[in-house]
Amino acid sequence: MFSRKAKSVPIAESVRQVLGIDEAVTSMTPAELMKAILLAPVDLLWNGGIGTYVKASTEDHADAGDKANDAIRVNGADLRVKCVGEGGNLGLTQLGRVEYALNGGRLNTDFIDNSAGVDTSDHEVNIKILLDRVVREGDLTEKQRNTLLAGMTEEVAGLVLRDNYEQNLALANAAANAGSLLHVHEEWIRTLEKDGVLNRELEGLPSRKEVARRAEKGEGLTVPEIAVLLSWTKIRLAEELVDSALPDDPFLHTDLFAYFPTKMQHAYRPQMLAHPLKREIIVTQVVNDLVNGAGITFWPRRAGETGASAAELTNANFVAREIFGSLALRDEIKGLDNDLDAAVQTRMRLEMRTLVERSSRWLVNNRRPPLDSEAVAEFFTVRVQRVMQELPEIMIGRELAAYAARRDGLVEAGVDEALAAKVAVLDPSYMLLGVVEIADREQLDAAEVARVHFALGERLGLPTLVGRILQLPRDDRWQTMARAALRDDLYAVHAQLTAQLIAETPGTEGVDERIDAWARGDQAMIDRAADTLTEICADENADLARMSVGLRVVRALLAGG
């Protein structure tokens, strides 16, 4: 222990090695030693005190607003630590965080690393509001209330830590796609600016000029910048949802119950439903679940594409999540923490997120609002998940080969084969929404309809056309929307063709026999369409014009097309 008032501090060999100090240095002033500690080449720099110790090289010490530590403050670009944890507030300026992150450092922000404190307070207040009402009604004594509160301490901590865990996964997911989504993030920042929600300079977000520079270099937002956008997205979404009818949907009562510890969930459900802050609790749960699971830009992107409200999109996302068993798969992936490369876990989570997102848009476009959440989930879930399990035996040709490649790639990355198969089958599972609808309408087994669907796609070469569409650029909003529209339209036409084929071949046994019987109705046109699609897809350099022609060729096969 050395006093900060000492003139100098002797530097032992062990200290020199740990802090990476030059061998010639035998003593340092206290300020020099503290600066060396900040610049040490170690794993973790943990800030747990008061003061601002890191700024950006573009900032003056006055920008940090902490004159007492001017002598020891360092620049983010000079930090040699692998990651920074912020237990205290304002340990780094936001620009200092960004500079460190751009230099390869790993960190969030102080408000992310400290969010458990606010979350704990929220739980404490809302639990006490409920239990105090029970006490006033005479169903619980004061002593029983206090005993119950004490007994729930550990579980409340677990609920809070789960929220923080999921929020950090959201940041990891966003960081994994930060480069490709820079134009989407920038558009959302501009929208929030236009609405008067944020000032990018005050929030430490990059200027438009800096965004253009990063776009040229293929860089995206850093995690500290993403954290700001994440927070404002949650705030804005909560404002939208609390004024909607969504918090009153019985489908979301499970989110309300899950907010409270298990010791309360069964005994006090009526009191939870009568909680004066019930709607606000549900909105908090829903916002966290949606943004953490679906990503920062799900709501603004899909709202722009579909014109749907925040409540409609949230509802659709939660129903899609139920249909495809998203939460169970995410828990299975979570169970591999510290046993599997985190980047591989992120890759698998994003596969499921993509499926849920696309299915959300399908539900918004194909179900008249307001969406009957419970009825839609009940209609699809069991049937879809049953066929999902059979898809490896149902798919053929190019779809089957693509599935096997995805599965084998995950196995090579260290994923158990059973889990790898579950993840690899997610991409084609989107088609099952249309398949289940056809099966229900025609009173057929959904797996049998799926066999016809995939066999028809293989006969026409549709998997290759989908692959070429996915190669189209998406460097801005319009390219992204055009690509998504082409892909969704192709899937819709594919489903319509499947329905038409089934309707025109009643009583025909066998998948190939059905397709042959259907094709005989206009063999020349079908052969010509398949040949045209082969020609269009022969060039791997896809462009929007050729893909549009390819879609029109497929659409022409529809009766009356």
Side-chain angles (χ1 to χ4, degrees):
M1 298 288 288
F2 298 96
S3 170
R4 290 185 67 168
K5 296 179 181 179
K7 290 185 177 181
S8 66
V9 177
I11 304 301
E13 177 61 24
S14 56
V15 174
R16 273 198 296 271
Q17 290 179 3
V18 169
L19 299 184
I21 298 172
D22 187 90
E23 293 181 1
V25 177
T26 58
S27 66
M28 304 175 83
T29 66
E32 290 172 336
L33 179 56
M34 285 187 282
K35 179 174 285 192
I37 291 172
L38 289 170
L39 296 175
V42 294
D43 288 342
L44 171 68
L45 169 61
W46 177 259
N47 170 51
I50 297 172
T52 304
Y53 301 98
V54 181
K55 66 177 184 63
S57 55
T58 56
E59 293 180 297
D60 295 325
H61 286 294
D63 294 321
D66 176 29
K67 190 173 179 60
N69 287 302
D70 285 356
I72 66 171
R73 191 172 300 112
V74 300
N75 294 327
D78 297 329
L79 288 176
R80 295 187 290 174
V81 64
K82 292 179 182 177
C83 62
V84 174
E86 298 193 59
N89 292 321
L90 304 175
L92 297 81
T93 66
Q94 178 67 358
L95 293 183
R97 294 185 187 107
V98 172
E99 184 173 273
Y100 169 62
L102 287 172
N103 209 34
R106 301 172 68 91
L107 82 168
N108 298 322
T109 61
D110 50 1
F111 57 83
I112 293 291
D113 289 350
N114 279 293
S115 63
V118 177
D119 198 348
T120 302
S121 297
D122 279 350
H123 276 82
E124 180 184 1
V125 169
N126 287 320
I127 288 170
K128 286 181 176 178
I129 288 174
L130 188 152
L131 291 181
D132 286 349
R133 280 191 159 202
V134 176
V135 170
R136 286 198 300 272
E137 291 167 1
D139 294 327
L140 197 68
T141 67
E142 190 77 23
K143 183 177 180 181
Q144 288 171 328
R145 166 211 184 260
N146 294 339
T147 301
L148 179 59
L149 283 172
M152 296 188 296
T153 301
E154 290 299 318
E155 188 175 356
V156 170
L159 292 171
V160 168
L161 289 175
R162 184 196 65 189
D163 289 344
N164 280 258
Y165 176 93
E166 295 293 335
Q167 187 160 257
N168 274 272
L169 289 189
L171 292 172
N173 292 342
N177 287 329
S180 62
L181 288 179
L182 179 61
H183 68 281
V184 180
H185 289 149
E186 168 62 11
E187 184 174 351
W188 183 221
I189 291 171
R190 292 188 186 191
T191 299
L192 292 172
E193 277 188 303
K194 184 181 67 176
D195 293 345
V197 173
L198 62 77
N199 179 309
R200 71 167 80 208
E201 185 176 354
L202 290 177
E203 297 288 354
L205 293 171
S207 65
R208 296 189 179 190
K209 184 177 179 180
E210 170 63 12
V211 168
R213 186 196 70 79
R214 291 193 200 177
E216 287 181 5
K217 298 181 66 176
E219 298 176 346
L221 296 183
T222 64
V223 172
E225 292 163 332
I226 292 170
V228 171
L229 206 53
L230 175 92
S231 300
W232 279 114
T233 301
K234 288 186 174 184
I235 291 169
R236 287 290 294 116
L237 182 58
E239 291 171 349
E240 290 280 332
L241 295 183
V242 80
D243 291 330
S244 74
L246 184 84
D248 304 313
D249 189 339
F251 186 69
L252 299 177
H253 285 170
T254 54
D255 292 271
L256 172 66
F257 302 146
Y259 177 86
F260 293 93
T262 52
K263 289 184 178 180
M264 298 177 63
Q265 285 179 15
H266 298 293
Y268 301 109
R269 285 198 174 193
Q271 289 84 352
M272 290 176 191
L273 293 171
H275 198 293
L277 296 175
K278 180 191 80 170
R279 301 180 90 258
E280 287 77 8
I281 293 171
I282 289 175
V283 165
T284 298
Q285 289 284 84
V286 165
V287 166
N288 278 323
D289 281 353
L290 183 75
V291 178
N292 291 346
I296 296 169
T297 61
F298 166 78
W299 162 45
R301 276 188 298 124
R302 294 310 177 216
E305 291 171 3
T306 65
S309 68
E312 289 167 346
L313 287 165
T314 301
N315 212 359
N317 186 276
F318 279 30
V319 172
R321 193 174 69 176
E322 183 82 8
I323 291 171
F324 291 99
S326 170
L327 298 183
L329 183 62
R330 279 161 51 182
D331 284 343
E332 190 171 352
I333 295 170
K334 175 182 176 180
L336 298 173
D337 284 356
N338 305 312
D339 292 327
L340 185 67
D341 184 348
V344 178
Q345 290 177 285
T346 299
R347 174 177 154 195
M348 293 192 289
R349 285 195 303 269
L350 290 176
E351 287 287 337
M352 175 54 89
R353 188 175 88 174
T354 299
L355 171 60
V356 170
E357 180 173 322
R358 292 172 61 199
S359 302
S360 304
R361 185 170 56 196
W362 188 95
L363 290 170
V364 166
N365 290 333
N366 290 276
R367 287 292 184 273
R368 188 183 300 275
L371 186 70
D372 187 339
S373 310
E374 292 182 306
V376 172
E378 183 178 354
F379 175 80
F380 281 108
T381 301
V382 174
R383 305 179 197 189
V384 165
Q385 292 188 25
R386 181 176 63 81
V387 182
M388 281 177 74
Q389 294 175 354
E390 298 181 43
L391 276 183
E393 286 72 47
I394 291 173
M395 292 182 291
I396 62 172
R398 283 159 282 199
E399 285 283 11
L400 182 60
Y403 157 78
R406 290 191 297 270
R407 179 199 61 205
D408 295 346
L410 289 170
V411 170
E412 288 176 11
V415 181
D416 172 80
E417 188 165 349
L419 176 57
K422 288 181 187 177
V423 176
V425 85
L426 295 177
D427 183 68
S429 293
Y430 169 75
M431 294 184 243
L432 298 182
L433 295 171
V435 164
V436 166
E437 277 201 324
I438 296 168
D440 182 73
R441 188 166 59 245
E442 300 295 334
Q443 295 297 296
L444 295 171
D445 179 65
E448 186 60 29
V449 174
R451 287 189 177 87
V452 174
H453 188 78
F454 284 101
L456 175 61
E458 181 65 21
R459 178 74 67 92
L460 296 175
L462 300 188
T464 305
L465 183 58
V466 171
R468 293 291 181 266
I469 290 173
L470 293 178
Q471 291 173 358
L472 290 172
R474 47 175 180 168
D475 298 328
D476 58 36
R477 174 189 178 188
W478 306 113
Q479 288 181 344
T480 301
M481 289 178 66
R483 192 186 85 149
L486 269 177
R487 183 189 59 205
D488 286 355
D489 285 351
L490 179 58
Y491 280 129
V493 172
H494 187 177
Q496 290 171 319
L497 281 172
T498 300
Q500 175 181 301
L501 186 157
I502 289 173
E504 292 179 359
T505 57
T508 306
E509 295 292 334
V511 173
D512 292 335
E513 288 74 17
R514 270 187 180 274
I515 295 176
D516 289 340
W518 170 76
R520 281 194 293 271
D522 200 338
Q523 188 70 55
M525 184 177 183
I526 291 170
D527 289 344
R528 187 164 59 249
D531 291 342
T532 303
L533 291 177
T534 299
E535 182 180 354
I536 287 173
C537 296
D539 189 344
E540 294 187 2
N541 296 316
D543 62 67
L544 185 60
R546 275 185 296 165
M547 296 305 103
S548 298
V549 171
L551 174 61
R552 190 168 66 179
V553 167
V554 180
R555 195 188 300 277
L557 296 176
L558 290 170

